[in-house]
Amino acid sequence: MAKTKKVQESEVIMTEMVLPNDTNTLNNLMGGKLMHWLDIVGAIAAQKHSNRIVVTASADSISFQHPIHLGNVVTLKAQVTRSFNSSMEVYIEVWAEDIPANSKTKTHRAFFTYVAVDQNGRPIEVPKLEPGTEEEIELFDGALRRRQLRLVLSKRMDPKDAVELKSIFGLTEVIEPKK
């Protein structure tokens, strides 16, 4: 598959309202409900990029910066930041809006990884991604480091093979742990 797609082609904006059934005892949106919404908007972005069914491979770097209150309108924006062979990293930003107070706050951000699969559930190749803006290029460049970190932490990559990670720490040689 040689096709290349632009970041905007995967962009998804989803809007929800925080209702009583979505809240905890402090009348704030439950983290699990937010994670549910994050997974949905991220999967749609990955599907738009790959034109395939996708499965969630990882959810990481979910930062809970501000609570989202009962009655707030929540806007989630997702876009693919980089594609690899069959996987895609998706960046998601979340804003909470208190319409009567005329205030809008960026509350969360997250990185999810999805894998495109065929009808039998086997990974399948996805189009390359072409970043355009400065922010898209920054997210694209950082995606390889985040991917290597995920693979090292899940023990699917040997740390000495994580070349991009070593480069940000200025490590040019592998230091073996003392026994």
Side-chain angles (χ1 to χ4, degrees):
M1 176 175 293
K3 184 167 171 50
T4 300
K5 287 189 167 183
K6 296 187 182 305
V7 173
Q8 307 90 282
E9 294 179 72
S10 70
E11 187 177 283
V12 176
I13 296 175
M14 185 171 102
T15 306
E16 299 283 344
M17 178 177 268
V18 180
L19 300 173
N21 201 38
D22 302 324
T23 64
N24 60 25
T25 53
L26 297 173
N27 282 328
N28 292 324
L29 179 65
M30 288 188 292
K33 185 66 171 188
L34 177 63
M35 290 170 62
H36 175 81
W37 291 344
L38 289 166
D39 197 21
I40 290 170
V41 74
I44 294 169
Q47 284 184 347
K48 285 179 73 171
H49 179 78
S50 64
N51 293 104
R52 295 289 182 169
I53 295 168
V54 299
V55 294
T56 308
S58 72
D60 53 53
S61 299
I62 301 172
S63 63
F64 293 86
Q65 297 164 320
H66 300 284
I68 300 174
H69 307 292
L70 175 65
N72 282 172
V73 173
V74 181
T75 302
L76 301 95
K77 178 186 172 196
Q79 64 187 36
V80 174
T81 59
R82 189 158 184 167
S83 59
F84 297 95
N85 294 327
S86 60
S87 68
M88 296 153 282
E89 182 189 76
V90 175
Y91 176 59
I92 308 164
E93 292 180 329
V94 180
W95 289 272
E97 186 174 6
D98 181 337
I99 293 174
N102 196 29
S103 70
K104 190 173 186 177
T105 306
K106 184 175 175 183
T107 60
H108 300 78
R109 62 186 201 96
F111 289 97
F112 277 55
T113 303
Y114 298 88
V115 175
V117 295
D118 64 16
Q119 300 84 335
N120 298 313
R122 288 191 212 91
I124 190 165
E125 191 176 357
V126 299
K128 299 286 182 218
L129 185 77
E130 182 183 322
T133 68
E134 273 187 49
E135 181 184 7
E136 290 170 2
I137 292 167
E138 186 178 320
L139 287 166
F140 179 89
D141 290 344
L144 185 55
R145 291 186 293 275
R146 289 185 295 274
R147 180 176 192 254
Q148 287 185 356
L149 182 58
R150 281 190 289 272
L151 292 172
V152 167
L153 291 174
S154 67
K155 300 191 183 313
R156 294 175 54 214
M157 176 183 261
D158 190 318
K160 69 177 176 247
D161 296 328
V163 178
E164 279 296 311
L165 280 180
K166 289 192 294 189
S167 72
I168 64 171
F169 293 109
L171 300 174
T172 54
E173 60 186 67
V174 177
I175 301 169
E176 295 295 327
K178 293 181 180 178
K179 294 183 181 183

